[in-house]
Amino acid sequence: MSNPSSAIESILVENRIFEPDDRAREGARISGMDAYQALCDEADKDFEGFWAKRAREHLIWTKPFTKTLDESNAPFYQWFSDGELNASANCLDKHMGTPVESKTAIIFEADGGEVTKITYKELLARVSQFANALKAKGIGKGDRVLIYMPMTIEGVVAMQACARIGATHSVVFGGFSSKAVQERIQDAGAVAVVTANFQLRGGKELPLKSIVDEGIAMGGCESVKTVFVYERTPSAWNRVAGRDVSFTEALTGQSTECAPVPVNAEHPLFVLYTSGSTGKPKGVQHATGGYLLWAKQTMEWTFDIRPEDVFWCTADIGWITGHTYVAYGPLAAGATQVVFEGVPTYPNAGRFWQMIERHKVTIFYTAPTAIRSLIKAAESDEAVHPKQSDLSSLRILGTVREPINPEAWMWYYRNVGGERCPIVDTFWQTETGGHVITPVPGATPLVPGSCTLPLPGIKAAIVDETGKELPNGSGGMLVIQRPWPSMIRTIWGDPDRFKKSYFPEELGGRTYLAGDGAVRDARTGYFRITGRIDDVLNVSGHRLGTMEIESALVAKTDLVAEAAVVGRPDDVTGEAICAFVVLKRGRPDGDEAKAIAKELRDWVG
Ligand code: PRX
């Protein structure tokens, strides 16, 4: 698009468009649409130069790169591929000797409300010490480590420690089952697991370690030699002799210094599994250099992060959002961030608002599902309404993971943002590594329900099945037509599936297919995501393949003959799962039908 700003200005008066106010604009890195457009033009004019400049500006390289983008083996694009760096050094060591050294890196609020703070210097010592504990168990560069941890400082420490020694982490969300743990250990060939005895959520103590044990016992996990157990609670856990070690034991005697291991920019920083349209989850592989560049760059562009900010992304480290905007981005940017262990409804549904007040959060980033459920709660109970909390510290709001309906957007804008905070509706995916289409808070006029425009350097478009670009106003498939630094590199162990899923021949083999439908506004060119075009459901922002659920249902061999799964619209979760099941023993009625439905629901869960 040549110049979106003039088209947008022309309809300002007619449509409900929310322009950034002076507070958002003042001192913003990208202030006003002309500044945004200038960056887009810069990227258009000299694409590689644009990224090279930023990679040098944002990252510390132990060996500088000379080649920016290698397209010789497309779509296996490589970025900065002759350079070397360490991700952890770029998040921690680089702040030493600067004022950030003694700044709070993480404000941790536990499920029960206890608050712990840790400075950058202390975090570096913790990460180094755990890195040494990993090394003492023979874990090193290129090894895969599965992380199955609660939202805690230790979870972030485990990820950073892997990065520090060049081990590739694969975080599994703490709500996933033993089967998921087993499949991911097997697929990644993990040599170690980092877990906790229990996690605390909503006042309940939920097991983690025993689920790891169950997963490993399912077989095929012989690669795992060590299980590190963080004792989150005093409760006892079952120890497998010769394999399991508590954090305390592992850390005893380990130095708090550990030299970061330089790795090639293309070295896999992590593999994160996500649902695809077939039964088997895909191990999305990200590279160190390009990913970290984007994590840092988007902290600046999308959140306009400033030294005095208190940043809070509510995502769990088990999802990509918790990777980029908890474990890496805020640290690379030297920000203070809140890490929250619990759930938004405990001890009451005002918890988020109370925490914003308590920690003077300035940037708050959450999912539409959470907002919608908190709207419901606030409407039925004044005591948990955001107006009960002082939210005046807020400067920028964000959403991610699913389309936000304009009503929820307006509620968030008014009741949480006090009609003064821009909302950045960030569209992205596990595969994109970071934001790709999103408003820029000091520049982009906002339209509720639209993720607006691509970030500079991201060439997003809407095409038909043949790859032909469609005019604004027509719905089609969302694609990205040029590579970008934080893009998925491959599917772990399955390059063919990578090519077929994301760079299909029908689109020429070099265009990234996002898997979402989208439409651009006829006049502004703004993007609106209409939902997945493949067999993936988005339930509360969680990606679930219909085939995954169908496979789970038919795996209940004593009951189920056949199953088919579709999505249906839901007011709170966006989409709900609807399963049609043919039972082996014919159709039950009444209470029996209800009991079977419950049994199957629990089984799938
Ligand atoms: O369908 C889109 C939806 O979430 C999918 C990506 O899911 P996942 O890889 O789990 O990553 C979620 C967090 C980045 C997308 O294909 N999605 C994500 N953000 C938005 C969205 N849909 C609409 N608007 C968004 N802002």
Side-chain angles (χ1 to χ4, degrees), residues 27-51:
R29 282 193 184 77
I30 306 179
S31 180
M33 281 307 268
D34 288 345
Y36 162 80
Q37 192 58 47
L39 280 173
C40 296
D41 294 345
E42 188 191 331
D44 266 354
K45 227 183 265 157
D46 176 13
F47 189 67
E48 289 193 35
F50 179 79
W51 293 117

Side-chain angles (χ1 to χ4, degrees), residues 274-275 284 319-321 325 365 368 399-404 424-432 434-435 437 449-451 478 512 514-517 528-534 536-538 541-543:
T274 187
S275 291
V284 173
W319 312 113
I320 188 70
T321 312
Y325 301 108
Y365 189 37
T399 64
V400 60
R401 292 212 315 213
E402 15 162 3
I404 180 161
V424 288
D425 174 351
T426 61
F427 169 82
W428 59 297
Q429 308 173 299
T430 306
E431 294 86 345
T432 68
H435 308 144
I437 308 181
S450 168
C451 53
L478 178 66
Y512 173 79
D516 280 295
R528 196 165 53 77
I529 306 298
T530 51
R532 300 288 305 186
I533 51 171
D534 50 14
V536 172
L537 306 181
N538 190 332
H542 300 316
R543 270 168 74 166

Side-chain angles (χ1 to χ4, degrees), residues 287-480:
T288 305
Y291 172 81
L292 205 65
L293 166 61
W294 202 237
K296 168 93 185 330
Q297 180 69 82
T298 48
M299 285 300 295
E300 297 195 352
W301 280 348
T302 312
F303 296 121
D304 194 27
I305 192 84
R306 301 175 190 188
E308 63 281 9
D309 273 322
V310 177
F311 179 82
W312 183 16
C313 163
T314 65
D316 190 280
I317 51 167
W319 312 113
I320 188 70
T321 312
H323 280 57
T324 313
Y325 301 108
V326 177
Y328 291 104
L331 299 178
T336 295
Q337 70 171 320
V338 174
V339 169
F340 175 44
E341 180 177 38
V343 298
T345 48
Y346 176 81
N348 60 57
R351 182 79 182 257
F352 275 1
W353 324 132
Q354 293 145 16
M355 282 182 63
I356 291 171
E357 173 175 340
R358 190 151 48 245
H359 304 300
K360 301 202 169 33
V361 172
T362 58
I363 304 174
F364 180 64
Y365 189 37
T366 196
T369 292
I371 298 167
R372 286 191 293 261
S373 68
L374 297 178
I375 294 176
K376 268 200 167 172
E379 278 172 356
S380 58
D381 180 4
E382 282 265 298
V384 298
H385 195 282
K387 70 183 173 204
Q388 308 295 350
S389 301
D390 176 3
L391 305 181
S392 59
S393 56
L394 286 170
R395 189 167 80 74
I396 292 171
L397 300 175
T399 64
V400 60
R401 292 212 315 213
E402 15 162 3
I404 180 161
N405 47 313
E407 302 74 39
W409 194 101
M410 280 309 305
W411 186 91
Y412 192 36
Y413 184 73
R414 284 209 181 103
N415 295 289
V416 183
E419 301 194 19
R420 52 162 217 287
C421 304
I423 299 179
V424 288
D425 174 351
T426 61
F427 169 82
W428 59 297
Q429 308 173 299
T430 306
E431 294 86 345
T432 68
H435 308 144
V436 284
I437 308 181
T438 175
V440 171
T444 320
L446 307 168
V447 171
S450 168
C451 53
T452 74
L453 296 167
L455 285 173
I458 300 292
K459 203 161 179 300
I462 295 178
V463 301
D464 67 13
E465 296 76 25
T466 63
K468 191 166 89 39
E469 207 164 325
L470 294 169
N472 290 355
S474 335
M477 305 190 296
L478 178 66
V479 296
I480 303 179

Side-chain angles (χ1 to χ4, degrees), residues 166-207:
T168 299
H169 60 69
S170 185
V171 185
V172 179
F173 173 56
F176 279 176
S177 66
S178 48
K179 184 78 188 150
V181 170
Q182 179 217 21
E183 282 173 358
R184 285 153 177 76
I185 288 175
Q186 275 183 344
D187 193 79
V191 300
V193 177
V194 183
T195 189
N197 60 340
F198 288 91
Q199 59 179 332
L200 292 167
R201 282 170 77 82
K204 292 195 198 89
E205 197 179 39
L206 304 168

